[in-house]
Amino acid sequence: MSVTTDVRQRRDVSGARTYLGAWVLLVALTGISVWLLRSEGAGASTLLNCTILVVTFLKIFVIMMVFMNVRRASATLRMVCSTWCAGVCAILVVGVLVSA
Amino acid sequence: MTESSSAPAFNAPAPLKEMRPIDTITPAPPAAPAPPRGEQRGHAVWGFVLTDLVVFGAYFVTFLWERSAHRSDFDRGASDLGLGSGLTNTVILLTSSLLIALAVDAVRCQRLRRACALALSTMICGLAFMVIKLLEWSSEASLGHGLSDGIYFQLYYLLTGLHFFHVLVGMVVLGYVVATTYRRRALASASNLHSIEGAAIYWHLVDAIWLALFTLFYLLR
């Protein structure tokens, strides 16, 4: 195998930029959630609570797809992980709406 | 009494014409090859991860159920809990997830020394998380927010304690993986990759669960 091919393959395998991008997105979304909560004050609205929950499960979805490499896994595993995120998020949002 | 001539004699050998020559016997089809050990280990890790997700999903729903029944208790508990330590721990765990993902990447590129250094950095993040969590627990307990201080703090100690245990297990697993990878660094074997991938998937699970706990206990008002 030539050196050029080897380097190209290493670049294909490496996902450092993707991981770094995902980390920046996750930290930014966490910061936005906290900023929204602080700007709203003590009695946060139901809409804000629902938004924060959706953002949280979006972050979990990003962790699964990027960090856990589920995006490159089998279709079954992708479906199970996506269903878990969507299902639990939906139940919690409904719970917040009902208890409001 | 005479035997019938058509009945076969007891223990008589089978007629030769019914026996098949050896060269016409078709060999049994080969058994399906067992999946490689690394793949089997991967299935086991994912089985554990999915089970854990279901269990924690049930806990999250329980939290919301209790919140709707004891709304004032939960509002008081969330306002008493300091947001700073929770936020710091979230950033620490997110950073640790980045580091262990980069460690897996390094193993794929056969850079095992770098992988060990990144995995060790992940462990340092895990240790920082545990120290902050212990300080937070002792601070809350000193303020009188113990297990007897309502359902909110009971769930807080139960779920964060369960998560703390997961972090502890993750630290042990990472320590073992770093030690074995460092010992086999000259081999650059596929086993290194499978070991560190499994540990990383578990660590990301710990991170994902914490994100949900942080929102439920610290952010919902």
Side-chain angles (χ1 to χ4, degrees), chain B residues 35-86:
Chain B
R37 271 187 76 187
E39 199 177 314
Q40 287 175 349
R41 211 181 301 162
H43 290 163
V45 170
W46 271 109
F48 176 78
V49 165
L50 294 178
T51 308
D52 230 24
L53 283 177
V54 171
V55 170
F56 270 95
Y59 279 132
F60 301 155
V61 175
T62 307
F63 179 92
L64 254 290
W65 183 271
E66 292 294 339
R67 184 177 181 268
S68 62
H70 308 91
R71 188 62 196 269
S72 60
D73 201 7
F74 275 69
D75 285 344
R76 184 180 59 83
S79 59
D80 287 347
L81 212 56
L83 188 61
S85 58

Side-chain angles (χ1 to χ4, degrees), chain A residues 24-41 44-45 47-60, chain B residues 83 86-87 90-91 94 211-212 214-216 218-221:
Chain A
V24 170
L25 177 70
L26 290 166
V27 172
L29 286 175
T30 305
I32 288 169
S33 297
V34 172
W35 177 75
L36 282 173
L37 183 75
R38 287 207 166 149
S39 63
E40 186 98 357
S45 68
L47 180 65
L48 179 63
N49 280 336
C50 291
T51 308
I52 288 173
L53 272 175
V54 171
V55 168
T56 299
F57 279 87
L58 188 68
K59 288 193 292 184
I60 293 174
Chain B
L83 188 61
L87 183 61
T90 304
V91 175
L94 287 176
L211 288 181
F214 174 64
T215 297
L216 292 179
Y218 296 82
L219 299 183
L220 286 193
R221 298 289 158 96

